[in-house]
Structures are given as structure tokens and as C-alpha cells.
Amino acid sequence: MKIWPVLAMSLSTWKRWLDSFLIALALLMFAGFVWFVFSVTAAFFGITLGYKLWLRLWLPWFQPLLGILTAGALLSGVWSWLSHNRDHQQS
């Protein structure tokens, strides 16, 4: 019987994938923040194209990304805390 490669990965491999995913999401959210700052500044001078597009993308893109990033950061923190406690109990 073949085991799916995804299920056969070790916990450390899962943790590395989670950390890489969270870094990518953080960079994407930072790019969105930079876009927001520039678009608000441009809207102050009367150029509202970037700001209007950012507002249209807030609910379908940036808000879910923020929720996934927060949930992933909490999961990563709990994972690290549990592994730290397990290491101290074994020693």
C-alpha cells in the first residue's frame, strides 16, 4: 500500500513548510501595506486609482490573508511551545 508523500513527511518537514508559508504570507501582507501607504498618499493628492483598487481587494484578498497569517502564527507558536515542553520532559 502506498502512503501519500504528504502524509509520510516528518513533523520537522511540516514545520519548515509552515514557516516558509508564513514568511511568504508576511511578505505579501507587507507588500499590501506598502501599497496601502502609497495609495493613501496618492489619494491625498487626488490620484485615487490605487486606493480604490486596494479597497476592492481588501475583503476578498487581504483580510483572509491576515486571518490565515494570524492563525498560522498561533499554530506555529503552540507547536514550538509543545515541542519545547516535550524536550524538557524527556531530559
Side-chain angles (χ1 to χ4, degrees):
M1 175 186 286
K2 274 191 163 179
I3 298 177
W4 290 355
V6 173
L7 297 177
M9 290 193 304
S10 68
L11 287 178
S12 63
T13 305
W14 278 105
K15 179 76 165 109
R16 271 197 314 265
W17 277 97
L18 177 63
D19 290 343
S20 298
F21 180 68
L22 290 176
I23 288 170
L25 281 183
L27 290 174
L28 189 59
M29 288 302 298
F30 182 72
F33 173 73
V34 169
W35 179 12
F36 175 72
V37 168
F38 280 121
S39 66
V40 166
T41 304
F44 181 72
F45 291 109
I47 305 168
T48 61
L49 179 63
Y51 182 67
K52 287 181 181 179
L53 181 60
W54 191 91
L55 282 177
R56 283 192 12 223
L57 293 176
W58 169 251
L59 277 177
W61 285 100
F62 292 112
Q63 201 168 18
L65 284 178
L66 190 58
I68 292 169
L69 181 64
T70 303
L74 289 173
L75 177 65
S76 180
V78 168
W79 194 328
S80 295
W81 181 75
L82 288 174
S83 70
H84 180 71
N85 282 347
R86 185 186 65 209
D87 292 342
H88 279 295
Q89 288 177 354
Q90 289 177 354
S91 57

